[in-house]
Amino acid sequence: MSEKNLQQYWRDNLRYLLILLSIWFLVSYVFGIFMVDTLNNVSIGGAKLGFWFAQQGCIYVFVILIFVYVNWMNKLDKKYDVDEE
């Protein structure tokens, strides 16, 4: 892989990481800690929304982010012809 392609590959990789980590931060810290009182005014299935984000929502979102990252990286690897297949 050429130096230019290598730099672009890592730039794209870091962009993906920043996007996904920003979503994780928003869900886990902002929704689960900082906005918990505001979100507790809404309930889902008998549980307050702020509590749900703090206890379960963060975990669900984190698992989804893992699958999104794997999918994005597979596409990125194919784009730059560094995939394992």
Side-chain angles (χ1 to χ4, degrees):
M1 179 183 301
S2 71
E3 184 67 28
K4 182 179 178 182
N5 282 347
L6 183 61
Q7 288 178 353
Q8 185 62 39
Y9 174 83
W10 284 107
R11 191 174 302 122
D12 290 346
N13 188 359
L14 290 176
R15 187 179 75 230
Y16 292 160
L17 285 174
L18 287 174
I19 291 168
L20 296 175
L21 287 174
S22 297
I23 293 169
W24 172 78
F25 177 81
L26 179 73
V27 170
S28 63
Y29 283 98
V30 176
F31 291 165
I33 298 172
F34 300 128
M35 291 183 58
V36 70
D37 294 329
T38 305
L39 292 173
N40 278 339
N41 294 327
V42 178
S43 90
I44 291 182
K48 295 179 179 179
L49 185 59
F51 174 79
W52 184 85
F53 267 111
Q55 298 301 315
Q56 296 175 350
C58 297
I59 296 168
Y60 292 147
V61 170
F62 185 69
V63 170
I64 290 168
L65 291 177
I66 291 171
F67 286 105
V68 169
Y69 179 72
V70 167
N71 187 24
W72 283 359
M73 288 307 298
N74 285 337
K75 288 179 182 178
L76 187 67
D77 287 349
K78 287 179 184 177
K79 177 181 176 182
Y80 289 97
D81 198 30
V82 292
D83 55 332
E84 295 179 3
E85 296 175 9

